[in-house]
């Protein structure tokens, strides 16, 4: 699986994010690093792998993962269409916003794993992709406490107190970082608008506020010097 998926080599520059540098998402603190994602995927049980792969490489919200149906996945063309979500009470409803209704391409390795998962997936009344073992809409806490947290601990991705270092939503942040990062570093190097669409944000301002500082920057000093030369002739 790992050989079939290109990971982003994520970099964080010092001094970003306000005076304290704590008001912006940071790799290794709020967003799993490339190596942490690799370690996570190496330890998760095979029956739990599909949901985490979709979270990491397709960026679905937890509510969208819980409400995803097989009819929403085009296994032939490798595409997920977000049409519904499950709320905190496990009630199925429309996406979070109009922008939440979107199509997301599925990487080949993830698509292959989904095809395998469909053969053994628990049967559910709504033909859900990730139902509970009894075929019901899965509670958010079940995913966190029975899948994410044990995998993080097994992989040694914990804080100083031995607790899981990240939450489920951090995998969505990683997806955004992967979209943003340079292709030469294993990312997809997408423009801000494209990232907004795939993330399902209702406004490009949301995308910019959360992830704008992760976009690659050139050499500011060289750019300033060049601008000065051109201005002064």
């Amino acid at each position: 699986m790992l050989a079939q998926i290109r990971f982003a080599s994520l970099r964080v520059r010092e001094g970003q994010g306000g005076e304290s540098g704590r008001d912006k998402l940071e790799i290794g603190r709020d967003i799993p690093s490339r190596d942490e994602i690799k370690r996570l995927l190496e330890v998760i049980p095979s029956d739990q792998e599909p949901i985490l792969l979709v979270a990491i490489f397709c960026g679905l919200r937890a509510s969208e993962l819980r409400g995803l149906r097989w009819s929403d996945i085009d296994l032939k063309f490798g595409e997920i269409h977000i049409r519904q979500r499950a709320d905190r009470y496990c009630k199925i409803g429309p996406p979070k916003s109009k922008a939440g209704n979107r199509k997301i391409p599925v990487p080949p390795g993830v698509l292959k794993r989904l095809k395998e998962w469909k053969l053994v997936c628990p049967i559910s009344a709504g033909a859900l992709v990730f139902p509970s073992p009894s075929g019901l809409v899965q509670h958010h806490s079940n995913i966190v406490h029975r899948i994410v947290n044990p995998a993080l601990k097994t992989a040694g991705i914990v804080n100083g107190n031995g607790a899981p270092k990240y939450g489920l939503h951090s995998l969505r942040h990683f997806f955004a970082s992967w979209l943003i990062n340079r292709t030469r570093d294993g990312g997809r190097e997408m423009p801000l608008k494209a990232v907004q669409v795939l993330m399902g944000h209702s406004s490009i301002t949301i995308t910019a506020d959360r992830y704008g500082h992760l976009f690659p920057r050139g050499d500011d000093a060289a750019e300033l010097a060049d601008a000065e030369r051109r201005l002064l002739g």
Side-chain angles (χ1 to χ4, degrees):
M1 172 61 66
L2 294 178
Q4 297 171 319
I5 301 172
R6 300 175 65 200
F7 291 96
S9 176
L10 305 173
R11 298 188 176 94
V12 179
R13 295 181 299 278
E14 295 180 356
Q16 290 178 328
E19 293 181 359
S20 67
R22 299 287 292 179
D23 56 340
K24 293 290 186 181
L25 298 173
E26 291 185 7
I27 309 299
R29 189 194 71 196
D30 311 293
I31 307 173
S33 69
R34 171 183 181 270
D35 289 340
E36 286 174 329
I37 289 294
K38 290 179 69 175
R39 284 159 53 193
L40 180 65
L41 293 179
E42 287 169 354
V43 302
I44 55 177
S46 60
D47 62 331
Q48 298 174 2
E49 186 181 45
I51 190 171
L52 292 185
L53 285 175
V54 172
I56 293 167
F57 294 107
C58 299
L60 273 64
R61 299 178 174 91
S63 60
E64 295 168 346
L65 287 169
R66 294 165 53 234
L68 188 66
R69 302 165 296 185
W70 286 110
S71 59
D72 298 322
I73 303 180
D74 189 328
L75 292 173
K76 180 178 180 181
F77 293 102
E79 199 171 60
I80 289 176
H81 190 166
I82 302 300
R83 297 185 176 97
Q84 64 177 32
R85 61 190 286 266
D87 67 15
R88 62 188 300 181
Y89 304 108
C90 295
K91 181 179 179 181
I92 297 294
K96 188 175 181 179
S97 66
K98 184 178 180 180
N101 190 320
R102 64 199 189 281
K103 292 182 180 181
I104 305 169
V106 183
V110 179
L111 186 65
K112 178 177 181 295
R113 192 66 189 88
L114 282 172
K115 290 177 180 178
E116 296 169 347
W117 171 242
K118 188 175 184 180
L119 301 177
V120 297
C121 175
I123 297 174
S124 63
L128 298 173
V129 180
F130 305 118
S132 69
S134 58
L136 302 175
V137 175
Q138 191 157 199
H139 284 273
H140 180 276
S141 60
N142 286 353
I143 301 174
V144 173
H145 296 298
R146 297 182 182 179
I147 299 177
V148 178
N149 286 355
L152 287 169
K153 288 183 177 181
T154 301
I157 306 172
V158 295
N159 59 26
N161 298 319
K165 188 177 178 182
Y166 303 105
L168 175 58
H169 198 72
S170 68
L171 304 181
R172 178 169 157 83
H173 291 324
F174 178 85
F175 174 72
S177 301
W178 183 49
L179 296 180
I180 292 167
N181 210 42
R182 295 181 179 96
T183 54
R184 68 170 181 259
D185 295 325
R188 300 178 64 184
E189 204 168 339
M190 290 188 167
L192 183 63
K193 182 61 180 178
V195 175
Q196 178 209 345
V197 171
L198 289 178
M199 294 296 289
H201 290 155
S202 58
S203 166
I204 198 169
T205 303
I206 296 174
T207 314
D209 286 347
R210 291 180 185 173
Y211 306 113
H213 64 293
L214 297 178
F215 279 85
R217 291 286 302 276
D219 186 333
D220 289 341
E223 289 177 1
L224 282 170
D226 182 61
E228 181 183 51
R229 284 193 299 270
R230 286 186 281 108
L231 175 65
L232 300 178

